[in-house]
Structure formats: structure tokens, C-alpha cells
């Protein structure tokens, strides 16, 4: 069958590199809007690049009879989750640090050591339990 008559998903499944370009052009706005709901705006382009890399990498898994839109958004969701899991560091504002500072450096050092112990303990918890605690105290 002539590749011009095939849909983007079918061409993608068959390994046509132009299909990836077409999928990107067609789905980029949708994926960007979707990712903006989950990842910081400054990270959307990086995550989107990972999404379309993954689309190409696993293209043979796409079933052309199914929705390309749903398949791409599923990949976008997974890449967004992966991205958020990598960004586990907690940023504390300098104003917050000033509020907890005591008169001497020992008190600050003890508090920072305690905060580090708490962070390590949180990282040992299963995701669901850690998320609940983080939302309760930091969210």
C-alpha cells in the first residue's frame, strides 16, 4: 500500500521517520498542554522531547487500529511521572531558613541534620505513604 494513503499511526508503526515528524507537528500542542498540568513550565520541552523519543523507540508496539492520540498521551503521562520522580529534592527558600535560624550555628546545624534525617526517612517510604506525608506537611 502507498505510504501516502496510510494514517500517521500506521506509517509510524511501519517505521516511516516522516510519520514521527507528522505526529510531532500534529500532537505537539496537545502534549504540551497536557504536560503543563503536571510538570513545571520550564521542564515541558525536555519532557516532550522524551515523549516523542519514546514514541519512536516503541513505535512497533502501537496498534494502528487504536487511537494515536490516546497512545501518545499515555506515553506523555508516564514520562511526566518519571520526570517528577527524578525531581525529589526539596527547595527551601532563604526566608524560611531565616525563620528557623537560632542565635548560634549549633542550633541551625542540628535542625539541618534533623531535616536531612527526615528526608532520608521519607525516601524509604513507599510512594503512596510518602506522598501523603509530603502533601500534609509541605503541600
Amino acid at each position: 500500500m502507498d505510504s501516502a494513503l496510510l494514517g500517521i499511526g500506521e506509517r509510524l508503526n511501519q517505521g516511516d521517520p516522516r510519520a514521527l515528524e507528522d505526529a510531532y507537528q500534529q500532537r505537539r500542542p496537545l502534549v504540551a498542554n497536557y504536560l503543563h498540568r503536571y510538570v513545571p513550565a520550564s521542564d515541558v520541552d525536555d519532557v516532550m522531547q522524551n515523549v516523542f523519543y519514546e514514541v519512536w523507540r516503541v513505535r512497533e508496539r502501537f496498534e494502528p487500529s487504536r487511537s494515536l492520540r490516546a497512545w501518545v498521551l499515555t506515553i506523555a503521562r508516564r514520562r511526566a511521572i518519571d520526570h517528577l520522580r527524578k525531581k525529589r529534592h526539596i527547595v527551601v527558600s532563604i526566608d524560611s531558613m531565616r525563620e528557623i535560624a537560632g542565635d548560634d550555628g549549633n542550633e541551625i546545624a542540628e535542625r539541618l541534620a534533623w531535616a536531612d534525617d527526615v528526608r532520608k526517612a521519607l525516601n524509604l517510604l513507599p510512594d503512596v505513604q510518602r506522598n501523603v506525608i509530603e502533601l500534609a506537611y509541605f503541600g
Side-chain angles (χ1 to χ4, degrees):
M1 182 177 252
D2 182 11
S3 66
L5 299 176
L6 296 176
I8 294 173
E10 292 170 301
R11 292 186 299 129
L12 189 64
N13 181 263
Q14 293 177 1
D16 179 357
R18 289 174 298 177
L20 179 63
E21 294 172 29
D22 293 344
Y24 179 80
Q25 291 302 318
Q26 186 182 80
R27 302 293 181 203
R28 183 184 51 77
L30 173 72
V31 173
N33 285 335
Y34 182 80
L35 292 174
H36 273 286
R37 294 187 293 182
Y38 299 104
V39 300
S42 60
D43 296 338
V44 168
D45 288 337
D46 291 337
V47 177
M48 186 161 357
Q49 183 177 12
N50 289 332
V51 168
F52 284 96
Y53 168 76
E54 188 78 6
V55 165
W56 181 252
R57 192 177 71 77
V58 299
R59 66 190 177 276
E60 70 280 348
R61 293 184 195 163
F62 174 67
E63 177 58 46
S65 64
R66 305 207 111 177
S67 167
L68 179 63
R69 177 183 187 272
W71 187 67
V72 170
L73 287 178
T74 298
I75 292 172
R77 178 181 174 274
R78 290 178 183 151
R79 295 300 69 85
I81 290 169
D82 289 347
H83 181 76
L84 292 173
R85 284 183 177 155
K86 283 189 230 173
K87 293 196 127 196
R88 291 248 168 116
H89 62 282
I90 298 173
V91 177
V92 179
S93 72
I94 193 71
D95 292 331
S96 298
M97 291 302 295
R98 285 188 182 118
E99 289 175 14
I100 65 167
D103 291 333
D104 65 4
N106 288 335
E107 185 177 341
I108 294 171
E110 285 177 11
R111 287 183 183 189
L112 291 175
W114 179 82
D116 189 50
D117 289 342
V118 170
R119 236 179 264 113
K120 286 177 184 173
L122 280 172
N123 286 332
L124 295 174
L125 291 173
D127 287 346
V128 173
Q129 292 174 347
R130 183 181 50 257
N131 289 340
V132 168
I133 292 171
E134 287 175 349
L135 286 172
Y137 288 97
F138 306 116

